[in-house]
Amino acid sequence: MPIPIPHFSTKNTCLEPGLRPQPSAAYGSAGDWRSAGGVFGEPVQRCYGNLTVSKTVTGNAGDVNHEFTFTVKLDRTVSGQYGDMRFDKGVAVIKLKHGESSTAKRLPEGIRYSVTESDNEGYTVSAVGDNGSIRSGKTAVAAFTNNKDVTPVT
């Protein structure tokens, strides 16, 4: 009896973190891979995205050589090296100066993140993208700008 050849669609389906595709016993190890949703014919893939944290310092009293500390928190207990960031139980701490950035690469899709900054006393801080979630094939950006102006005494 011939073994049927599985048909695969061109649609890719992302696996949820921790899930693995399993071959069907009917086809042995040769095919019938099922997506996380169990749909025949859709090749499965792990979907990843990135997170970049960037720093800009502005103002006439802004110190472009000052290192600012950032804490990146994920809603899952991810541990290990992800690009420029090392996570321990879902938390990474990085330091950035003016014009620098750091990127966590290949974070699983759907992870929610928050980024906070410290060591910024005396600065007016604005942040864009400091909270969000990782999307497959995209790079989320948490951009922090610190402004410090001093009015000269006349």
Side-chain angles (χ1 to χ4, degrees):
M1 175 179 204
I3 297 176
I5 298 172
H7 171 266
F8 291 95
S9 71
T10 58
K11 178 182 175 188
N12 287 325
T13 302
C14 298
L15 283 173
E16 289 298 316
L19 295 180
R20 300 281 186 263
Q22 298 297 319
S24 164
Y27 292 106
S29 61
D32 191 20
W33 291 93
R34 296 185 182 272
S35 69
V39 178
F40 174 75
E42 293 181 353
V44 292
Q45 65 177 357
R46 196 77 127 99
C47 297
Y48 300 97
N50 306 317
L51 171 61
T52 296
V53 179
S54 68
K55 170 90 262 143
T56 303
V57 176
T58 61
N60 63 16
D63 181 357
V64 295
N65 295 310
H66 179 77
E67 277 191 327
F68 297 90
T69 302
F70 295 86
T71 302
V72 180
K73 292 183 181 178
L74 306 177
D75 70 349
R76 298 190 194 144
T77 55
V78 171
S79 293
Q81 192 72 35
Y82 288 80
D84 301 333
M85 297 184 204
R86 174 167 288 288
F87 287 89
D88 182 27
K89 298 177 185 167
V91 178
V93 177
I94 59 172
K95 292 186 179 283
L96 298 173
K97 296 178 185 178
H98 170 74
E100 294 182 334
S101 65
S102 182
T103 301
K105 294 183 179 179
R106 293 186 54 82
L107 292 171
E109 178 181 40
I111 284 183
R112 296 201 50 75
Y113 67 86
S114 67
V115 183
T116 56
E117 179 190 32
S118 55
D119 300 332
N120 55 14
E121 187 175 329
Y123 286 87
T124 301
V125 180
S126 62
V128 176
D130 53 329
N131 291 287
S133 62
I134 302 301
R135 294 180 48 208
S136 179
K138 305 290 183 190
T139 298
V141 177
F144 285 77
T145 301
N146 291 18
N147 185 69
K148 188 174 190 180
D149 282 315
V150 174
T151 305
V153 178
T154 57

